[in-house]
Amino acid sequence: MNSTQFNKGPLYGLSAEVKNQLLSKYDPQKEAELRSWIEGLTSLSIGPDFQKGLKDGIILCTLMNKLQPGSVPKINRSMQNWRQLENLSHFIKAMVRYGMNPVDLFEANDLFESGNMTRVQMSLLVLAGKAKTKGLQTCSLPTSSPHLPVWVFLCFHLFCLFV
């Protein structure tokens, strides 16, 4: 068990089954596309572990400031958990101000505690699609399908049924 998951015991029964289904829906190819897009836009390296590279919120807040300058006015560089969670909260609020639908958002603990990385992935794909609709052309966006927003919308909402 991860030390940050002190409030959670091991999963059994239906909870374990749902978590395993969500993990099986996580797409490593989409992660690679998101990694390339985020690193290309922010000029910051996520590192080998996608979750650990994003969990402090610094790269995500930087990403939002690239998409919408000034949307996250203060990025905490502290390694204290509550400051990292504050960054994630600022990022999520900035996504709403950017025009994302609240149902398309992940929660801070989905990323911070690896609670639901599939939901994090889907949220970031929706964000990339939103950036594309707003005309962002400076970096390659995750576009393995010409109908990315529809595909992302359908998959994200299917995953929400298991959360």
Side-chain angles (χ1 to χ4, degrees):
M1 181 179 345
N2 188 330
S3 63
T4 62
Q5 293 178 318
F6 54 87
N7 289 333
K8 297 181 181 179
L11 297 176
Y12 299 103
L14 183 59
S15 295
E17 186 177 324
V18 168
K19 177 132 182 151
N20 287 335
Q21 281 183 332
L22 286 172
L23 288 174
S24 73
K25 304 284 186 198
Y26 191 83
D27 186 342
Q29 176 61 37
K30 296 290 182 205
E31 177 185 306
E33 292 174 14
L34 285 167
R35 176 188 301 275
S36 175
W37 176 63
I38 293 167
E39 289 179 344
L41 196 55
T42 64
S43 300
L44 298 172
S45 175
I46 294 172
D49 186 316
F50 195 69
Q51 183 268 337
K52 287 181 181 168
L54 297 178
K55 84 176 249 181
D56 66 9
I58 293 171
I59 292 174
L60 293 175
C61 288
T62 303
L63 173 66
M64 278 310 304
N65 281 336
K66 294 290 184 176
L67 296 175
Q68 186 171 344
S71 60
V72 181
K74 182 180 181 221
I75 301 173
N76 296 303
R77 307 266 177 208
S78 171
M79 297 315 297
Q80 295 176 323
N81 287 349
W82 68 277
R83 289 290 191 189
Q84 294 175 359
L85 285 165
E86 191 174 65
N87 280 344
L88 293 175
S89 176
H90 291 316
F91 171 72
I92 292 166
K93 288 176 185 172
M95 286 196 299
V96 172
R97 289 191 301 272
Y98 192 64
M100 285 190 54
N101 190 325
V103 300
D104 293 331
L105 304 175
F106 66 90
E107 294 179 11
N109 278 333
D110 289 336
L111 175 58
F112 194 77
E113 295 186 358
S114 291
N116 188 344
M117 285 303 294
T118 303
R119 189 166 186 178
V120 172
Q121 186 179 66
M122 288 296 108
S123 291
L124 292 174
L125 287 168
V126 172
L127 178 62
K130 176 65 78 176
K132 186 174 182 179
T133 64
K134 288 184 173 228
L136 180 70
Q137 299 296 328
T138 59
C139 296
S140 62
L141 295 172
T143 57
S144 61
S145 166
H147 305 289
L148 178 69
V150 173
W151 179 87
V152 169
F153 176 82
L154 292 174
C155 287
F156 184 84
H157 288 85
L158 286 173
F159 294 140
C160 289
L161 294 174
F162 295 106
V163 178

